[in-house]
Amino acid sequence: MGGLLTFGETMGLVAADGIGPLGHAKSFSFGIGGAESNVAIGVARLGGEATWLGRVGPDATGALIASRVAASGVRTLAVTDESFTGLMVRHRRSGEFAQVDYHRSGSAGSRLSPADIPAHEVTNAAILHVTGITPALSESARAAVFQSVETARAAGVTVSVDVNYRAKLWSRFDAAPVLRDLVSRADVVFASPEEAALFASGDTPEALAELGPAEVIVKDGGRGCVALIEGKRFQQPALPVTVVDPVGAGDAFVAGYLADRLAGASPEDRLVTAIATGAFAVTVPGDCEGAPTRDELAFLKGDDVRR
């Protein structure tokens, strides 16, 4: 069996440097960001095999996405679409609050369809990872998610779902039944307490496990995580780090867990790695730039100078 397969929209990321209102920003950086490609990059950086698939536009941003994801060690299947590559604009209004605006309606990524996901890519994977973002983009993207999940289930491929609810993409009312259906088809589920409460009977791992998944991990930021894995409960505290940029921490967490799962690690070790990769990610600006290697995780153990 192969490694991780994931797909979804990756966008260009315009980020204001510094902290304060967007109108007062003096400089900007340009990068890429997307939950699924972030996870693929994180897995690859930790030594796992990862494939990302998505649609990009015939523009410089689309070319940048394809080249940068591939340069990170991810097998990249970028389908060029006639529409534009989506963009997101992010600024830190204060040290505690970040705002992201999306420009993605009708984008190349939103035009993903079931025909874009070859069945053999799914059946040859060890883990299919999807998020709750893609079903919110369009009817065709939603169909791609559910078709690939059913293909994976029929082939005995592990299905991983990160709920990743985005209020700017759809309402709680519209999202809840779709996310509940998606989670009920998964083997591994990641959610925040708030996301779990959207469609489950509560915000605990047990509430999500009632829907069927054997592995449920509730990630709770600075409070660490709680998990229910094959009927056994686990709890892992967060690591104390200096937060530079909180964006991408959840994706890094997922990447750490799935990379260790691919490597055959125990549930305890998967959660330790997930916490460490999530903590490392918040110490570096950007969505995926801070994805650590296994050697770099040593920095979190007090070895802050490598000679």
Side-chain angles (χ1 to χ4, degrees):
M1 298 292 286
L4 178 87
L5 171 66
T6 188
F7 60 87
E9 182 174 34
T10 296
M11 295 173 288
L13 169 60
V14 180
D17 299 325
I19 298 174
L22 184 63
H24 293 282
K26 295 181 173 59
S27 61
F28 295 82
S29 58
F30 189 77
I32 68 170
E36 297 85 4
S37 58
N38 289 348
V39 170
I41 290 170
V43 167
R45 292 278 286 169
L46 291 170
E49 179 184 341
T51 297
W52 171 80
L53 186 153
R55 280 186 173 266
V56 297
D59 44 43
T61 302
L64 175 66
I65 289 169
S67 63
R68 188 167 292 184
V69 175
S72 300
V74 176
R75 178 169 169 259
T76 302
L77 305 176
V79 179
T80 301
D81 188 279
E82 62 183 16
S83 190
F84 65 95
T85 303
L87 290 173
M88 52 182 164
V89 179
R90 188 172 75 223
H91 73 282
R92 297 282 298 278
R93 180 61 182 84
S94 71
E96 301 295 324
F97 177 72
Q99 180 173 331
V100 180
D101 296 320
Y102 299 110
H103 303 272
R104 69 198 311 179
S105 179
S107 67
S110 71
R111 290 154 60 99
L112 190 77
S113 73
D116 294 325
I117 318 296
H120 71 270
E121 293 288 349
V122 177
T123 58
N124 287 332
I127 298 175
L128 171 69
H129 177 68
V130 298
T131 76
I133 297 173
T134 308
L137 299 180
S138 66
E139 289 297 329
S140 65
R142 185 178 306 178
V145 169
F146 280 92
Q147 177 177 291
S148 65
V149 166
E150 287 308 303
T151 300
R153 283 162 54 91
V157 173
T158 297
V159 175
S160 167
V161 172
D162 188 356
V163 172
N164 246 329
Y165 172 67
R166 294 289 185 267
K168 288 191 175 183
L169 294 179
W170 52 354
S171 70
R172 297 166 66 92
F173 178 81
D174 291 332
V178 177
L179 295 174
R180 181 183 178 90
D181 191 8
L182 186 58
V183 165
S184 71
R185 300 167 191 254
D187 302 294
V188 184
V189 171
F190 303 89
S192 69
E194 295 77 18
E195 289 169 340
L198 274 175
F199 55 86
S201 61
D203 61 2
T204 65
E206 289 79 7
L208 285 170
E210 291 174 358
L211 299 178
E215 301 177 32
V216 176
I217 303 93
V218 175
K219 42 183 180 172
D220 199 9
R223 287 174 287 276
C225 68
V226 182
L228 189 68
I229 302 174
E230 301 293 350
K232 184 176 180 181
R233 205 172 205 270
F234 301 87
Q235 189 160 0
Q236 188 67 32
L239 291 172
V241 294
T242 300
V243 177
V244 174
D245 185 353
V247 177
D251 299 331
F253 179 101
V254 171
Y257 185 92
L258 295 180
D260 265 20
R261 197 182 192 283
L262 286 168
S266 68
E268 294 94 335
D269 287 343
R270 296 176 214 164
L271 295 172
V272 167
T273 299
I275 287 289
T277 51
F280 198 99
V282 303
T283 66
V284 182
D287 267 37
C288 55
E289 290 81 353
T293 64
R294 291 195 182 273
D295 286 344
E296 287 170 338
L297 290 180
F299 289 140
L300 298 179
K301 299 177 182 177
D303 185 10
D304 56 357
V305 179
R306 303 302 297 269
R307 302 182 189 277

